Amino acid sequence: MASLVPASGLALDGGDPRADPKDVVAFSHTEKPVSTKNVSLEEYLHYASITRAEEKIANEKYRAAKGPVTWKSIIRGRFSRNPGGNDPQSSTAGQGYAVNGALEAEWKNASRAVRTAGWGSAFYLIATDVLGPSQTPWSFSQLGYGPGFVLYTVFGLLSGYSGLILWRLFIQLDSDRYPMRNYADVFHRIFGTGMKHFVNIAQAIQLIAVLGFLILLNGQGISQMAQGPEGSYAGICFVACLIIFTVAGFVIGQVRTLQKYSWLANFAVFINLLVVFIVMGVAAKYGPNYNAVVATFGPQWEAGPPIVTFAGTPPDGFATGGTGFVATVNGVNQALLCYGGAALFVFFLAEMRHPMDFWKSILCAQLLIYVIYIVFGMVVYHYHGQYTYAPAVQGVSDYRWQTALNVMNLVMGLISCGLFGNIGVKIVYIEVFEKLLHFPPMHTLKGRIWWAILSPAYWVLGFILAAAIPQFPLVSGLIGAIFGVGFTYILPALAALGFRVRRDAMLEEETARFDPATGTVHHRDAGIRRVMRGFMKRPVFNVAHLIYFLGSLVICGLGCYAAIIQLMGAFSSGVATSFTCASPV
């Protein structure tokens, strides 16, 4: 979520399973030939245990054939034509349990065929997905060194734990017979169809917010480049800058073959790291961009005090995100946003040859991301102090470096928007319009007509959001409070609690009577009595997750409150104006 862009499909070894069937054959695998409408939790657990056992055997054969994983093999594998290689796991298809006819046997072979990624590939995907350091220095300027360090450490640990929760749930609920393909599948199997629809709709709203965020970010970059050094040129009307990027992103997003993006998109994480090092170097040599701070946060910053930094929370007048509590929470929002991205972990797991290794991917990726955030945030804050700006590249005062960094961001933004236009809108169409609202399948003639109508409408909604709220730090904070907290902390905690209660409520006599052939299971009781039995089997574990869930809800509420209060203040003071030619940078 930190990158705010769906990263799966950027570098997946087996292609993106959500793409159009004419783009990538694997898309058909999201449509399960075996209905999951009335499948019990016992049945999901039964087939998952069989699949994990088969994967273990297949992975041992694969490792013997390929040799140990090294950093050299990981990097080299990113750019090979067949990173997955010949997967011996496919030879195990059809073993382990009896399948009902040729269709199901064919499905199992197809399911195994798309699981080609190793843990090294998953590490790369997590880093691409989560790593988004552009707001980190501004967050430190609202929090101070000490609180910033503590919060980034705590949220890093908690986000990693949430990733491990999703990993464990995937391991216990995914199988070749009932494969998990998206985030909503987790909640469908634990809480039912209603919860699945809620998560899908929430992700659809998130995708609109992400699109608006990208349009605003890159529109600001175009506006900044058009103004010249120290605003020496007349520039371009800010709304026109947003329109330029919206049209460019929409056009690129119409390229239907995702494979054309993968090679370019593999460089996204390396460009991101390059930007980080350049910004730190430029920040050490040149002063902050006072013009951008004044344009975004008001004229009171025009003749402010000299650059200062604080070990603790900055006092009033030294934080651009507000005063007191509001400024602190807005800084917290950015930290939450930076670690968002767990909603895509299921997509990564669905492509892995041996999902049991995913913990290695999380550990390595989270450690890398954490170190970058801490170093980058503190270094830029040290040199820019209370004038630190978000995004960091637009807080650089030297016009030459500022332009070069904005160009890099535009390249990454266009790649991201191309991917977003190709995948993001399809997720919305398939998961919301097709499955929930019963629109025609996208590969039919009527489906393609609806796609042609809805795709530009989606981009228009993103443009309206960007033009209506031209306050990047506060918009990103609001998105972090709602979606970063929701998908990375609230929902994983709820899923862990719900799954453990349901599983621990099972009695030995019930599981012994489960019939895999018919899928029937006989529960001795139901309702609150069953829930309490499951909860009290592991009370410490369940109370901890309940606290995690409730605490995340509180953080979400406080984050929304602080961002909205500051946005209201920006609009009432005249600093922020919707659909205006005046640039916010």
Side-chain angles (χ1 to χ4, degrees):
M1 177 72 184
S3 61
L4 293 175
V5 182
S8 53
L10 289 179
L12 284 174
D13 295 338
D16 192 283
R18 298 164 291 163
D20 189 88
K22 290 190 176 181
D23 298 340
V24 183
V25 175
F27 176 82
S28 61
H29 299 156
T30 62
E31 298 298 327
K32 304 173 180 59
V34 182
S35 174
T36 60
K37 186 175 182 180
N38 297 311
V39 179
S40 65
L41 185 63
E42 286 84 352
E43 187 169 358
Y44 285 128
L45 294 170
H46 172 78
Y47 287 112
S49 64
I50 293 174
T51 297
R52 300 288 88 81
E54 292 181 350
E55 286 173 348
K56 181 179 179 181
I57 296 173
N59 188 64
E60 290 172 353
K61 295 179 181 179
Y62 183 84
R63 290 268 60 87
K66 299 289 288 186
V69 175
T70 62
W71 286 108
K72 181 179 179 181
S73 67
I74 293 173
I75 296 173
R76 183 176 58 191
R78 300 312 317 139
F79 304 101
S80 67
R81 295 185 60 86
N82 184 24
N86 296 320
D87 189 359
Q89 186 167 303
S90 60
S91 65
T92 67
Q95 300 175 9
Y97 59 81
V99 293
N100 299 322
L103 178 61
E104 194 166 337
E106 182 181 349
W107 162 247
K108 186 173 182 181
N109 279 287
S111 178
R112 290 292 177 89
V114 299
R115 297 176 186 250
T116 59
W119 74 266
S121 299
F123 155 78
Y124 181 91
L125 285 168
I126 295 172
T128 306
D129 171 35
V130 178
L131 182 61
S134 63
Q135 297 91 254
T136 308
W138 188 80
S139 180
F140 271 90
S141 73
Q142 309 306 296
L143 299 169
Y145 288 117
F149 175 81
V150 171
L151 286 172
Y152 270 88
T153 301
V154 171
F155 290 146
L157 292 172
L158 290 177
S159 65
Y161 180 66
S162 290
L164 293 176
I165 287 175
L166 295 173
W167 166 60
R168 291 302 303 170
L169 292 174
F170 183 93
I171 291 299
Q172 297 177 81
L173 295 174
D174 165 82
S175 65
D176 292 322
R177 183 181 178 90
Y178 301 116
M180 296 177 68
R181 293 298 180 195
N182 56 60
Y183 192 67
D185 280 348
V186 177
F187 302 91
H188 179 210
R189 299 178 188 209
I190 298 173
F191 300 106
T193 304
M195 189 64 176
K196 176 183 180 180
H197 293 330
F198 170 80
V199 173
N200 278 327
I201 292 173
Q203 282 195 297
I205 297 172
Q206 178 201 23
L207 293 172
I208 296 175
V210 168
L211 183 56
F213 175 95
L214 287 171
I215 293 172
L216 178 59
L217 170 64
N218 292 282
Q220 285 187 181
I222 295 173
S223 176
Q224 198 172 52
M225 288 188 289
Q227 294 174 33
E230 299 296 327
S232 58
Y233 307 142
I236 305 174
C237 176
F238 182 64
V239 171
C241 294
L242 299 179
I243 293 174
I244 289 170
F245 187 81
T246 301
V247 172
F250 174 73
V251 170
I252 292 176
Q254 300 312 298
V255 178
R256 295 191 62 82
T257 305
L258 292 178
Q259 303 292 356
K260 294 179 181 179
Y261 288 110
S262 60
W263 191 82
L264 285 174
N266 276 325
F267 288 103
V269 68
F270 299 109
I271 296 177
N272 215 344
L273 291 174
L274 179 62
V275 167
V276 165
F277 291 120
I278 291 175
V279 170
M280 287 193 294
V282 174
K285 185 174 182 180
Y286 302 95
N289 187 348
Y290 296 101
N291 291 336
V293 176
V294 171
T296 300
F297 298 106
Q300 69 271 23
W301 292 93
E302 191 166 4
I307 294 174
V308 292
T309 58
F310 299 91
T313 304
D316 290 350
F318 290 89
T320 54
T323 59
F325 174 76
V326 171
T328 301
V329 177
N330 278 323
V332 172
N333 283 346
Q334 300 301 327
L336 293 168
L337 177 67
C338 285
Y339 283 114
L344 297 180
F345 286 3
V346 175
F347 291 110
F348 306 156
L349 280 159
E351 295 292 313
M352 288 189 68
R353 178 180 59 256
H354 192 232
M356 289 295 292
D357 286 341
F358 190 68
W359 68 270
K360 303 176 186 177
S361 311
I362 292 178
L363 180 63
C364 294
Q366 287 290 118
L367 182 60
L368 171 67
I369 292 164
Y370 169 74
V371 170
I372 291 172
Y373 285 168
I374 294 295
V375 173
F376 182 60
M378 287 188 171
V379 168
V380 177
Y381 176 50
H382 172 75
Y383 289 107
H384 285 182
Q386 72 273 33
Y387 300 102
T388 303
Y389 190 74
V393 297
Q394 293 169 14
V396 171
S397 59
D398 183 79
Y399 179 72
R400 296 165 299 176
W401 281 111
Q402 183 188 98
T403 301
L405 291 166
N406 274 320
V407 169
M408 292 181 189
N409 263 2
L410 283 173
V411 171
M412 290 191 294
L414 286 172
I415 294 173
S416 300
C417 281
L419 177 71
F420 179 81
N422 206 300
I423 294 178
V425 185
K426 289 174 182 175
I427 294 175
V428 175
Y429 186 89
I430 294 166
E431 299 295 341
V432 178
F433 286 94
E434 187 177 324
K435 292 185 178 180
L436 188 57
L437 302 178
H438 307 294
F439 274 50
M442 198 170 62
H443 63 272
T444 65
L445 177 60
K446 289 184 178 180
R448 291 183 181 277
I449 293 174
W450 276 111
W451 161 264
I453 296 172
L454 293 172
S455 181
Y458 208 74
W459 282 86
V460 169
L461 287 174
F463 164 77
I464 292 173
L465 179 63
I469 315 177
Q471 283 281 95
F472 177 84
L474 304 180
V475 170
S476 62
L478 184 60
I479 293 174
I482 299 174
F483 300 110
V485 178
F487 289 113
T488 303
Y489 303 97
I490 296 175
L491 289 177
L494 179 62
L497 179 62
F499 174 77
R500 183 54 62 183
V501 168
R502 287 195 62 188
R503 177 161 185 173
D504 287 345
M506 297 176 186
L507 299 171
E508 185 176 351
E509 62 190 67
E510 294 175 347
T511 55
R513 295 175 62 188
F514 169 67
D515 184 1
T518 62
T520 57
V521 61
H522 302 279
H523 290 160
R524 192 178 71 178
D525 53 11
I528 189 65
R529 181 179 178 182
R530 187 174 186 86
V531 171
M532 289 305 299
R533 181 172 68 248
F535 187 91
M536 294 308 298
K537 188 169 183 178
R538 300 171 187 258
V540 175
F541 179 90
N542 292 321
V543 168
H545 282 95
L546 181 60
I547 294 173
Y548 187 17
F549 170 71
L550 295 175
S552 300
L553 282 177
V554 171
I555 292 294
C556 177
L558 292 176
C560 292
Y561 167 79
I564 291 171
I565 289 296
Q566 189 63 9
L567 280 170
M568 291 171 61
F571 279 103
S572 63
S573 65
V575 174
T577 306
S578 301
F579 302 97
T580 179
C581 276
S583 177
V585 291

